[in-house]
Amino acid sequence: MLRLFRKKRSDVKVVYRYPNEKVAIFIDGGNMFHACNYMQIKINYKKLIDILRKDRWLLRAYFYTGIPSGDLPRDVREQLRKQQGFLNELQNLGIKVKTMPLKKTPEGYIEKGIDILLATDMVSLAFRNAYDTAILVSGDSDYVPVVKEIQELGKRVENASFKRTSSYELRKVCDEFILLDNIKHRFTTPLYPEKIEKPPEVRFIDRIKEFFSKIIKKEKGRKR
């Protein structure tokens, strides 16, 4: 009987699920890089994808990033080598990697066109009815018009991002928002783990010396 008088909570958000829901995940690599660089963390993308997909059928996860090209300085070539190794690891995990050349400026290299490439894929796959829900892993407000267009096609859009690079406008327009800061312990590790100092090892010869030293002390005590 007491249940009849309980007040209903108005702050509980009801999330509706489709039967046999198909999801596609779109990861803005540059946006994630800036957040990781600030927070000094490393992302395990396989774990992140598993968390975001939940128990739903995953069409594919896409990762978008820019890469330097042309005549590169030695330090940039070394960075490119490391980046290529990272991208190869993603592809081995079944993540579809899509790249565009970085634009060189007097201040360095900047990304151009990555957001357009990502948005084009989101809309194109929505038109083809390839997924029911798009999961956009980015905090860039430039994606707001794209999200609205996809919703007009009858699709849902979920947004996942870190607070550092999250846009309020993007969060507001999406059907669901996942703050990655709250669950980062499940898919990240520190970029520079603290080194745990091991106690110095005691050599066997030192143990022998200590053993005989104790015996000598005991013998001296008896003689007194």
Side-chain angles (χ1 to χ4, degrees), residues 54-127:
K54 299 175 185 175
D55 58 348
R56 298 172 289 187
W57 186 84
L58 177 66
L59 168 68
R60 191 173 294 109
Y62 298 86
F63 186 90
Y64 300 82
T65 189
I67 56 173
S69 59
D71 188 16
L72 304 173
R74 185 174 181 179
D75 59 331
V76 178
R77 288 201 304 270
E78 178 62 22
Q79 292 176 10
L80 177 60
R81 185 185 66 80
K82 292 180 180 178
Q83 183 188 24
Q84 196 59 57
F86 166 70
L87 297 179
N88 289 339
E89 288 180 10
L90 293 184
Q91 293 186 94
N92 291 336
L93 293 173
I95 300 171
K96 183 72 173 179
V97 175
K98 295 203 169 188
T99 63
M100 287 195 71
L102 294 173
K103 184 177 180 181
K104 189 175 181 180
T105 67
E107 291 77 25
Y109 291 89
I110 61 172
E111 284 189 351
K112 291 291 288 184
I114 291 295
D115 53 347
I116 297 174
L117 179 61
L118 189 156
T120 301
D121 284 349
M122 285 183 71
V123 174
S124 175
L125 289 170
F127 267 114

Side-chain angles (χ1 to χ4, degrees), residues 2-200:
L2 292 175
R3 292 183 180 178
L4 298 176
F5 298 97
R6 287 181 180 174
K7 293 183 178 179
K8 293 183 179 180
R9 289 183 59 184
S10 59
D11 59 337
V12 177
K13 184 177 180 180
V14 179
V15 178
Y16 296 96
R17 300 284 297 278
Y18 298 104
N20 303 318
E21 183 179 358
K22 296 180 294 183
V23 300
I25 300 175
F26 303 87
I27 303 170
D28 183 341
N31 193 266
M32 295 296 281
F33 170 78
H34 290 303
C36 291
N37 193 43
Y38 174 78
M39 301 172 72
Q40 295 293 286
I41 56 175
K42 183 180 179 181
I43 292 177
N44 183 319
Y45 280 97
K46 184 179 185 304
K47 290 183 178 179
L48 174 60
I49 289 168
D50 287 340
I51 291 169
L52 296 177
R53 69 176 291 190
K54 299 175 185 175
D55 58 348
R56 298 172 289 187
W57 186 84
L58 177 66
L59 168 68
R60 191 173 294 109
Y62 298 86
F63 186 90
Y64 300 82
T65 189
I67 56 173
S69 59
D71 188 16
L72 304 173
R74 185 174 181 179
D75 59 331
V76 178
R77 288 201 304 270
E78 178 62 22
Q79 292 176 10
L80 177 60
R81 185 185 66 80
K82 292 180 180 178
Q83 183 188 24
Q84 196 59 57
F86 166 70
L87 297 179
N88 289 339
E89 288 180 10
L90 293 184
Q91 293 186 94
N92 291 336
L93 293 173
I95 300 171
K96 183 72 173 179
V97 175
K98 295 203 169 188
T99 63
M100 287 195 71
L102 294 173
K103 184 177 180 181
K104 189 175 181 180
T105 67
E107 291 77 25
Y109 291 89
I110 61 172
E111 284 189 351
K112 291 291 288 184
I114 291 295
D115 53 347
I116 297 174
L117 179 61
L118 189 156
T120 301
D121 284 349
M122 285 183 71
V123 174
S124 175
L125 289 170
F127 267 114
R128 297 175 189 175
N129 200 32
Y131 62 77
D132 300 306
T133 300
I135 304 175
L136 174 60
V137 185
S138 177
D140 194 338
S141 60
D142 289 345
Y143 293 113
V144 169
V146 183
V147 171
K148 291 180 179 179
E149 180 65 28
I150 292 171
Q151 289 170 333
E152 288 294 322
L153 294 171
K155 308 300 182 183
R156 295 179 67 256
V157 181
E158 297 175 3
N159 178 222
S161 66
F162 288 104
K163 185 177 180 181
R164 173 71 181 179
T165 54
S166 180
S167 161
Y168 172 73
E169 290 79 11
L170 182 60
R171 297 197 307 266
K172 186 172 64 173
V173 76
C174 288
D175 297 284
E176 186 178 343
F177 173 66
I178 303 102
L179 181 61
L180 296 179
D181 300 68
N182 293 340
I183 55 173
K184 69 175 187 239
H185 61 282
R186 297 172 58 188
F187 66 91
T188 69
T189 53
L191 192 59
Y192 304 106
E194 293 183 5
K195 293 183 179 179
I196 301 175
E197 294 185 2
K198 295 182 179 180

